[in-house]
Amino acid sequence: MKLSVTISRGIEALFGTRDENIRLIENSLGVSITPRADSLELDGPDEAVTRAEAMLLDYAALTAGGHAFSASDLTDCLRVVTTDSATTLRSLVESGRQRSFGKKVVTPKTLNQRLYLDALEKYDLVFGIGPAGTGKTYLAVALAVSALLKKRVSRIILTRPAVEAGEKIGFLPGTLQEKVDPYLRPLYDALFEMLEGEKVQKFLERNVIEVAPIAFMRGRTLNDAFIILDEAQNTTPEQMKMVLTRQGFNSKMVITGDITQTDLPSGRKSGLGNALEVLRGIDEIKFVHFDDRDVVRHTLVQKIIRAYDRFQEAQGRQLPLKLTDLETATAAAPPPSAQVSA
């Protein structure tokens, strides 16, 4: 099937750096795009050409209506639209994909980030699983801040296990809170990006926002709260069960972690991996899996992650737990007969 799409405005911006946007559409949909004077000629399978035409027409209509795409935003949007056939460029731009969280305006950069944000808004318990730099914790903190400012919850609870990442730092001086604060620094960093410093300090002083190690969760019932457990791969199964059963009425809970990066002692099973096995099949719980394509840090981070994966495969060694192996095993296994007890 061949057809021509007229784009008279912003056609240079559409192409992107070194034609990366055109190549993205061509490679993702299996079509060829040939530039003409003020139009683009599409050639390929009927369905693919129709999808490509819809993207280009949406782009033309949005730019004609005054919407200005930055180079990176356009590429990110096209990546989402080419991956998800149910999403259009127009809907991605116009249907509230850009969200305001405190002093930050956040737009999901990848399809999985969009699915993650949707899950955080719809489900009371969400697992975000994947490598560093994919926005798991950042987006969860953003939703928590938004819920607090809109008075949907009355407090935010941020927690993570205080596990050394192999450094053996030894004795730390100070109070118990001062001892564990270094482990919780990434959570503080996300908070200060979302809120003014004075407001963060006020919320911390009043315990409206609580940042604490996982041991502080035992014995509590957390009502009317937005709870985030970060670095969950470093919990034990017992700790994970304890945290999951803290959730009270009108509360949301988000569990984030990377099951390939556990710092637990050798031979100890990760509570995150165990939870994936135990809780599968519960419709009210949403699992969102990220991969290296969702990394939104420096472009080198994606290449570093892939290089380590290739090295592991070449050496014939496996990381302590691979997501693909876990998904294969859990898919073949029968559902658990017992539920998590209170």
Side-chain angles (χ1 to χ4, degrees), residues 140-162:
V141 172
L143 259 294
V145 168
S146 177
L148 180 65
L149 295 179
K150 293 177 180 178
K151 301 188 184 304
R152 293 174 181 167
V153 298
S154 61
R155 57 181 171 160
I156 297 173
I157 310 292
L158 308 175
T159 185
R160 63 183 341 207

Side-chain angles (χ1 to χ4, degrees), residues 214-252:
I214 198 170
F216 285 27
M217 299 299 107
R218 189 171 299 277
R220 303 175 64 183
T221 300
L222 303 175
N223 294 317
D224 198 29
F226 199 116
I227 308 140
I228 300 173
L229 169 60
D230 191 34
E231 297 290 336
Q233 75 276 4
N234 289 330
T235 62
T236 64
E238 295 79 13
Q239 287 175 322
M240 177 62 75
K241 177 183 175 182
M242 181 271 291
V243 172
L244 290 173
T245 54
R246 298 308 94 198
Q247 187 172 7
F249 295 108
N250 190 41
S251 289
K252 278 183 176 287

Side-chain angles (χ1 to χ4, degrees), residues 119-120 122-128 227 229 240 243-245 247 251-255 275 279 282-288:
L120 292 175
K122 295 176 182 177
Y123 291 81
D124 287 338
L125 178 55
V126 177
F127 284 76
I227 308 140
L229 169 60
M240 177 62 75
V243 172
L244 290 173
T245 54
Q247 187 172 7
S251 289
K252 278 183 176 287
M253 183 176 288
V254 185
I255 312 295
L279 303 178
I282 300 179
D283 294 336
E284 293 81 5
I285 300 175
K286 182 67 174 179
F287 296 90
V288 180

Side-chain angles (χ1 to χ4, degrees), residues 56-115:
L56 298 175
L57 290 176
D58 278 351
Y59 174 82
L62 289 165
T63 53
H67 184 84
F69 288 95
S70 70
S72 60
D73 282 348
L74 179 57
T75 301
D76 291 333
C77 287
L78 289 175
R79 187 175 291 114
V80 171
V81 174
T82 54
T83 305
D84 183 5
S85 60
T87 303
T88 67
L89 185 61
R90 180 184 291 274
S91 69
L92 199 58
V93 172
E94 295 182 347
S95 68
R97 293 302 94 200
Q98 189 179 70
R99 296 164 167 87
S100 178
F101 303 111
K103 65 179 182 179
K104 295 284 289 186
V105 175
V106 177
T107 303
K109 301 295 186 183
T110 69
L111 174 60
N112 284 328
Q113 285 192 356
R114 183 176 67 82
L115 297 175

